[in-house]
Every structure is written in structure tokens, then in C-alpha cells.
């Protein structure tokens, strides 16, 4: 969902799934997906749709504690 500031707030993480494996937790705010800046949930959805399954992507996140971190995720195929 959209955050109050630029970014997309994580409201749920599928277990198991690429986000969970990368270390995303509920409340994190995604700021970048690869080289794509994420200002809204729509930006994130478009970036994920363009991602190549099996190819690593770097996620830049702001945790609810205020810290920033880069995580590595490997998008998959939803079946």
C-alpha cells in the first residue's frame, strides 16, 4: 500500500516467498526495486511485473525502526 512518504509499505509477506526469503517484514517500506525508484504501491507493482523470474534484484527498504537496508530477492513465477 502507499506510505505517507514516498515508497510502498509492506502489509503482508507470503511465507515461503521471495520477499520472505530476502528478509522483508510487515511494516517495511520499499523505496527502490532494482534501479526503479518506488514512490507508490503502483510503482512497485509495475516494477515487479517487469522483473525477470530467477534474476536477482536489489530492494532498498526502510524498516519501521527507521533503519535502511538493501536486500536481495529472486522473483519467481506465481502458479
Amino acid at each position: 500500500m502507499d506510505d505517507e512518504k514516498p515508497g510502498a509499505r509492506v502489509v503482508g509477506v507470503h511465507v515461503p516467498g521471495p520477499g520472505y526469503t530476502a528478509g522483508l517484514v510487515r511494516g517495511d517500506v520499499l523505496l527502490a526495486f532494482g534501479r526503479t525508484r518506488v514512490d507508490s504501491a503502483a510503482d512497485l507493482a509495475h516494477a515487479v511485473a517487469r522483473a525477470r523470474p530467477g534474476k536477482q534484484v536489489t530492494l532498498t527498504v526502510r524498516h519501521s525502526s527507521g533503519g535502511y537496508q538493501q536486500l536481495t530477492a529472486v522473483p519467481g513465477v506465481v502458479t
Side-chain angles (χ1 to χ4, degrees):
M1 70 182 244
D2 290 344
D3 192 45
E4 297 109 20
K5 299 177 183 177
R9 182 170 299 276
V10 175
V11 294
V13 180
H14 291 282
V15 179
Y20 175 80
T21 302
L24 281 176
V25 296
R26 184 178 177 169
D28 283 347
V29 177
L30 278 120
L31 303 172
F33 185 92
R35 294 183 177 166
T36 303
R37 178 180 163 156
V38 175
D39 288 325
S40 67
D43 290 344
L44 178 60
H46 289 112
V48 171
R50 290 190 304 268
R52 293 178 51 200
K55 185 175 180 190
Q56 288 186 346
V57 63
T58 301
L59 309 174
T60 303
V61 301
R62 181 177 65 240
H63 297 292
S64 58
S65 65
Y68 291 82
Q69 187 176 15
Q70 288 194 322
L71 306 172
T72 301
V74 180
V77 177
V78 176
T79 56

